[in-house]
């Protein structure tokens, strides 16, 4: 009897985990998509539990497709929706549209604008994006320049497994505003200080197994707990990324943990 119960439990677990799902988090620093989703939720276009971030890219794509069915978006929201749907195309099991393509067919897209490598087939989808950027801030006290370069990798294997990683080398020229003596929402890092400012590396990544109402994973990432627009009091997201075990469950529409 005990053996039969154990076998039934194993089979039940297998059936649950065999349901299709993917879970690659969209980093909290991409505030444009998070602000857009908050706006749609405020307008009553979508429903959103915004107490914990980051959201998964598949969840974001689901909400974008939900918004696409609505006819009450204004012109700017429609243009933003078109942009984001293309950006989250792999999560819809298709390749994004792009310009200046080096290679483009049904399975592979290598483009210069936006620079990215995208691949999809029946068992594997992947995205590799080079990172290069600069941010300059200026006021009466001086100039702060932030430069970074690196690479971002995301893959979806089969129907349930996701693997992702990101590595950036970042240089700050000017005052290090992430110090505790400053009151702002700059994330903290372990700086290698110099006479000009400081340097640090930001590495994130993880592996997750997902099903239709939850996921479990081993990741190194940033998280935010608590609704806010300028730093949550529970977990603000200002801490450097740290390794953790994650468990996300949503067995019913009205319950999420």
């Amino acid at each position: 009897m005990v053996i039969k119960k154990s076998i039934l439990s194993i089979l039940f677990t297998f059936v649950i985990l065999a349901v299709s799902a993917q879970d690659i988090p969209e980093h909290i620093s991409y505030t444009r998509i998070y602000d857009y989703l908050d706006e749609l939720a405020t307008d009553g276009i979508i429903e959103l539990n915004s107490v914990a971030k980051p959201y998964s890219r598949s969840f974001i794509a689901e909400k974008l497709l939900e918004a696409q069915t609505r006819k009450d978006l204004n012109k700017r929201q429609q243009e933003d929706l078109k942009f984001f749907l293309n950006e989250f195309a792999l999560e819809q099991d298709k390749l994004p549209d792009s310009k200046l393509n080096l290679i483009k067919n049904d399975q592979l897209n290598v483009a210069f604008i936006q620079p990215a490598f995208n691949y999809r087939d029946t068992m594997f989808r992947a995205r590799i994006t080079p990172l290069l950027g600069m941010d300059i801030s200026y006021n009466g006290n001086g100039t702060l320049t932030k430069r970074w370069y690196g690479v971002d990798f995301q893959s979806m294997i089969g129907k349930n497994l996701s693997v992702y990683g990101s590595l950036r080398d970042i240089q700050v020229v000017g005052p290090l505003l992430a110090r505790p003596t400053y009151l702002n929402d700059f994330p903290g890092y372990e700086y290698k200080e110099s006479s000009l400012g400081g340097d640090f590396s930001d590495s994130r990544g993880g592996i997750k197994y997902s099903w239709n109402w939850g996921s479990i994973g081993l990741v190194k990432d940033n998280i935010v707990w608590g609704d806010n627009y300028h730093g949550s009091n529970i977990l603000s997201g200002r801490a450097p990324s740290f390794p953790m075990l994650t468990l996300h469950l949503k067995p019913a529409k009205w319950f999420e943990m």
Side-chain angles (χ1 to χ4, degrees):
M1 190 68 176
V2 174
I3 295 175
K4 288 183 178 180
K5 287 184 178 179
S6 299
I7 293 173
L8 288 174
S9 298
I10 292 171
L11 290 174
F12 179 69
T13 302
F14 178 80
V15 170
I16 289 175
L17 297 184
V19 179
S20 175
Q22 300 288 352
D23 187 359
I24 297 176
E26 180 60 54
H27 193 253
I28 56 176
S29 62
Y30 191 18
T31 56
R32 183 180 174 188
I33 183 62
Y34 285 100
D35 290 344
Y36 181 71
L37 293 177
D38 282 346
E39 179 186 356
L40 295 183
T42 301
D43 290 347
I45 296 170
I46 62 174
E47 291 185 5
L48 199 63
N49 179 7
S50 58
V51 73
K53 298 179 180 72
Y55 306 143
S56 71
R57 290 183 60 91
S58 59
F59 173 80
I60 293 174
E62 175 188 333
K63 291 302 176 181
L64 294 174
L65 290 172
E66 185 179 330
Q68 191 180 32
T69 64
R70 297 289 295 265
K71 305 299 182 182
D72 49 348
L73 299 177
N74 61 43
K75 185 176 181 180
R76 193 265 307 160
Q77 289 173 333
Q78 292 173 1
E79 291 298 320
D80 285 348
L81 179 61
K82 182 179 178 181
F83 172 82
F84 288 129
L85 283 171
N86 186 60
E87 191 165 357
F88 290 81
L90 271 185
E91 284 68 31
Q92 305 165 54
D93 197 22
K94 61 183 181 180
L95 294 176
D97 294 327
S98 55
K99 299 178 181 179
L100 297 179
N101 297 291
L102 184 62
I103 302 174
K104 186 176 182 180
N105 54 47
D106 292 339
Q107 291 187 325
L108 180 62
N109 184 355
V110 182
F112 288 106
I113 303 176
Q114 298 283 339
F117 169 97
N118 294 281
Y119 176 84
R120 63 173 288 276
D121 60 28
T122 55
M123 284 296 295
F124 181 67
R125 287 172 286 166
R127 175 189 300 106
I128 301 176
T129 308
L131 305 173
L132 178 64
M134 175 183 288
D135 181 77
I136 300 176
S137 303
Y138 172 82
N139 64 17
N141 296 320
T143 302
L144 177 67
T145 303
K146 182 178 178 181
R147 296 188 288 264
W148 63 90
Y149 63 90
V151 64
D152 185 89
F153 168 75
Q154 300 171 355
S155 65
M156 292 159 276
I157 305 167
K159 297 181 178 180
N160 305 88
L161 188 63
S162 303
V163 181
Y164 71 100
S166 174
L167 177 63
R168 308 177 189 219
D169 190 73
I170 304 172
Q171 179 187 42
V172 176
V173 178
L176 302 182
L177 299 181
R179 295 183 185 277
T181 50
Y182 293 96
L183 184 62
N184 56 52
D185 58 355
F186 281 74
Y189 293 98
E190 185 65 33
Y191 283 92
K192 180 180 178 182
E193 298 187 31
S194 66
S195 58
L196 297 177
D199 301 78
F200 63 92
S201 294
D202 181 22
S203 62
R204 304 188 302 269
I207 179 169
K208 286 193 170 187
Y209 193 88
S210 311
W211 53 101
N212 69 330
W213 53 268
S215 69
I216 186 170
L218 175 62
V219 306
K220 179 179 182 290
D221 217 323
N222 303 92
I223 57 175
V224 171
W225 284 358
D227 277 315
N228 70 94
Y229 270 100
H230 198 69
S232 170
N233 289 330
I234 305 173
L235 283 176
S236 68
R238 285 195 58 191
S241 61
F242 53 90
M244 69 193 94
L245 287 169
T246 65
L247 175 65
H248 177 219
L249 301 175
K250 191 176 182 180
K253 185 177 181 180
W254 50 269
F255 178 79
E256 186 171 6
M257 182 180 72

